[in-house]
Amino acid sequence: MYHLWKEYMEKHVLPIVHQGDYYKITEAEKIIENSHFSKKKKNDLRAFLVQISKGSIDTPKKHMSPPTYRKYLQDLASIGVSPILIPKNRTDFPNCLKNPFKI
């Protein structure tokens, strides 16, 4: 039964929800800063997150090529950060939420 659930999740749900836990921008910045990426890539990933938070998950597509967009999503997933941020002005929200879809 678990095998079927896992297969379904990987095929149908994960392409929609993105990997990584949800963070406020300050927490995401800390994780990015402590990552193995170059200084330029760290700045680019932060800008990518800000673009998404000010618009939608598709907003950065207007400013970059599809391969770059996919690469940034992969880079964030590799360090466990979802591209969807928790609003920083919501003091009633925690700084981090574990991704319920993580396998």
Side-chain angles (χ1 to χ4, degrees):
M1 189 64 157
Y2 174 77
H3 174 72
L4 291 174
W5 174 84
K6 186 174 185 235
E7 181 181 327
Y8 180 83
M9 293 293 282
E10 288 173 345
K11 185 174 182 182
H12 299 288
V13 177
L14 294 183
I16 299 168
V17 297
H18 302 286
Q19 293 295 304
D21 295 326
Y22 301 93
Y23 296 95
K24 288 187 176 182
I25 186 68
T26 53
E27 297 301 313
E29 287 172 334
K30 290 176 190 174
I31 294 168
I32 291 169
E33 191 55 41
N34 291 323
S35 69
H36 64 282
F37 298 119
S38 69
K39 182 82 170 153
K40 181 183 180 338
K41 177 57 81 84
K42 289 175 184 180
N43 290 335
D44 291 346
L45 288 175
R46 186 193 183 285
F48 182 72
L49 288 175
V50 170
Q51 284 181 337
I52 292 170
S53 70
K54 288 183 176 181
S56 74
I57 192 70
D58 294 326
T59 301
K61 290 180 179 179
K62 299 171 189 171
H63 308 284
M64 62 184 57
S65 69
T68 301
Y69 176 80
R70 287 190 302 270
K71 179 65 175 148
Y72 284 8
L73 289 176
Q74 290 171 354
D75 290 341
L76 289 171
S78 75
I79 58 173
V81 175
S82 171
I84 308 299
L85 295 174
I86 299 170
K88 67 180 178 182
N89 60 345
R90 292 295 304 260
T91 56
D92 56 330
F93 286 7
N95 290 337
C96 172
L97 289 170
K98 296 293 179 195
N99 188 334
F101 297 101
K102 200 180 279 186
I103 294 182

